Amino acid sequence: MTDNACFHRNAENVASHRCEVVEHRWVNDRYKYIRLSAQSDLAGVTKPGQFYQLKCPVTDEQQPFLLRPMSVYGVGPEPGTIEFLYNVTGVGTAAMASLNVGDHMDIVGPLGNTFVLEPQYKRILVLARGVGLATMAPLLQYAAAAGIGITAIMSAREPKDLMREEFLRGAPAQVHCVYDSDGTSSVEAVEALVRRLLDQEHYDVVYTCGSHRLLMLLQRVLADYPQTRGEVAMEQRMACGMGVCLSCVRMFDIEGDKQFLRVCREGPVFSIRDVVGEVEFG
Ligand SMILES: Cc1cc2nc3c(=O)[nH]c(=O)nc-3n(C[C@H](O)[C@H](O)[C@H](O)COP(=O)(O)OP(=O)(O)OC[C@H]3O[C@@H](n4cnc5c(N)ncnc54)[C@H](O)[C@@H]3O)c2cc1C
C-alpha cells in the first residue's frame, strides 16, 4: 500500500487468473468469506472499488454460465492473495459456496475504476449496508494507513446481520450502527444523523455502496454540502463485465448532460451527484 493517493483505472493489468482456494468459511447465515491464491501479483494491481469476474464452478445442481461480478474485499499480505465476501443468493454464488480448500477457480480482473482517496483528506464518511460492506472494506484499510479519520454509518436488518468486525478489520473508526429492527435505519433517522455529522465537522468525501435508498438520501443531503464530495460504487446486474454487452448501462446527469454509462466500464464508482435515480420515459 504505497500509493495512498487518488487511485487510477488500470486496464493494462486485466488478466485471467487461475486461483486456488486457501480459506473458505461462513461469516453468518448468508455471507461467505473466500480467500484465493494466484501466481501473479494481484495485491499490487488491485485497488478499492474494483471488481473481478468470477467463474463459479459447475456442479450437479447449478450450471452458472455467465461470470459473476464480485468486489475485492481484500488483498495480501502475500502478493497473490485476494479475498471476497459474498452473499449466497442464486445459482452462481450457491455453486461457489460449494468450493473446498484446494479447489480452483478462475477469476478475471481487476475490472472497473476505483474510489478516489486523496492523501490530503482529513476525514471521510462511509455509509454501508449489505454487500456494500465488502466493496468499501478495502477503502477503510487504505484510509487508516494514510492516517485519514473515518466515520462509518453501518446499516443492517438487525444487530446479528451487521458484520462490524468484517467491515472495519481493525481500522480505527467512529461507528454509528443503525437497524431496521428498531427503526434507526429509516430514511428520516439516517438523514438526520448524516446532517448532524456533516454539521459537526468537515468531511472531504462521503462514500456509499449497497443501498439505493442510502444513495438517494446522500444525493439529497450533499446538495446542501457543496464542499463534500460523494462517491458510490454501483451494483448493477451485468453479464460480460467488460463494456461489450451493455446490460449494465445506467443514466447519469453530468452537469446537465444526460448520458448512459456502463457500470462495468465507466464505473462501478460514480459521483453521487451524477446518478439519476428514476428514469422517466415518454
Ligand atoms: C461491481 C459489482 C460488485 C459486486 N460485489 C459484490 C460483493 O462484493 N459481494 C456480493 O455478495 N455481491 C456482490 N455483487 C453482486 C453479485 O454480483 C451478485 O449477487 C451475483 O452475481 C449473484 O449471482 P448468482 O448467480 O448467485 O445469482 P443469480 O440471480 O442466479 O444470477 C445473477 C447473475 O446472472 C446474470 N444475469 C441475470 N440476469 C441478467 C440480466 N438481465 N442482464 C445481465 N446479466 C444477468 C449476471 O451474471 C448476474 O450476476 C456485486 C455486483 C457488482 C455489479
Side-chain angles (χ1 to χ4, degrees):
M1 284 197 232
T2 48
D3 53 345
N4 289 317
C6 175
F7 307 119
H8 302 284
R9 184 187 297 281
N10 55 352
E12 69 275 17
N13 295 317
V14 176
S16 179
H17 304 276
R18 183 126 187 95
C19 298
E20 182 180 342
V21 179
V22 288
E23 189 179 348
H24 198 189
R25 58 181 161 76
W26 287 98
V27 170
N28 57 28
D29 55 3
R30 288 193 299 136
Y31 281 83
K32 282 198 98 166
Y33 163 89
I34 191 165
R35 188 157 58 93
L36 306 173
S37 174
Q39 295 298 319
S40 13
D41 177 13
L42 302 183
V45 298
T46 308
K47 299 287 182 272
Q50 290 192 297
F51 67 98
Y52 279 74
Q53 284 277 69
L54 276 46
K55 170 101 181 68
C56 301
V58 170
T59 67
D60 289 343
E61 292 80 29
Q62 287 98 12
Q63 281 86 39
F65 178 67
L66 296 166
L67 307 189
R68 266 47 175 180
M70 211 58 78
S71 298
V72 177
Y73 172 58
V75 288
E78 299 86 17
T81 302
I82 189 159
E83 303 164 298
F84 300 96
L85 184 68
Y86 67 98
N87 189 1
V88 182
T89 53
V91 176
T93 47
M96 192 172 149
S98 71
L99 285 168
N100 294 309
V101 170
D103 287 347
H104 289 84
M105 181 165 69
D106 293 318
I107 68 174
V108 179
L111 297 165
N113 65 354
T114 69
F115 288 112
V116 173
L117 186 74
E118 303 278 5
Q120 71 272 17
Y121 286 169
K122 296 282 183 283
R123 181 162 280 277
I124 61 172
L125 175 63
V126 290
L127 260 80
R129 185 173 167 103
V131 294
L133 299 184
T135 307
M136 293 195 293
L139 187 62
L140 267 53
Q141 298 302 308
Y142 273 82
I148 299 169
I150 303 164
T151 301
I153 299 177
M154 298 186 63
S155 174
R157 280 193 246 178
E158 50 187 321
K160 74 174 177 53
D161 297 326
L162 197 67
M163 298 195 288
R164 180 183 170 127
E165 304 312 319
E166 286 76 14
F167 184 44
L168 299 177
R169 308 192 91 181
Q174 185 191 103
V175 182
H176 302 265
C177 304
V178 296
Y179 305 109
D180 299 353
S181 53
D182 64 8
T184 50
S185 69
S186 72
V187 171
E188 299 73 26
V190 175
E191 181 163 341
L193 174 58
V194 172
R195 286 184 184 278
R196 198 170 72 239
L197 291 168
L198 294 179
D199 285 339
Q200 277 168 359
E201 66 183 303
H202 173 68
Y203 284 85
D204 295 290
V205 56
V206 181
Y207 303 98
T208 194
C209 178
S211 161
H212 183 73
R213 208 171 46 114
L214 290 179
L215 166 61
M216 290 296 104
L217 178 160
L218 279 179
Q219 190 176 66
R220 195 166 54 247
V221 170
L222 286 178
D224 297 328
Y225 298 85
Q227 304 306 322
T228 299
R229 296 181 52 251
E231 287 192 342
V232 56
M234 311 277 285
E235 279 179 3
Q236 190 77 5
R237 280 202 145 191
M238 56 181 66
C240 77
M242 298 194 176
V244 179
C245 74
L246 304 181
S247 65
C248 64
V249 290
R250 287 276 309 243
M251 188 186 275
F252 295 84
D253 184 341
I254 300 171
E255 294 174 1
D257 181 13
K258 288 215 170 57
Q259 30 184 293
F260 285 104
L261 299 176
R262 299 161 296 183
V263 170
C264 70
R265 197 73 190 94
E266 283 76 47
V269 179
F270 295 92
S271 165
I272 290 176
R273 290 183 170 88
D274 293 345
V275 174
V276 174
E278 304 291 334
V279 181
E280 288 176 21
F281 296 98

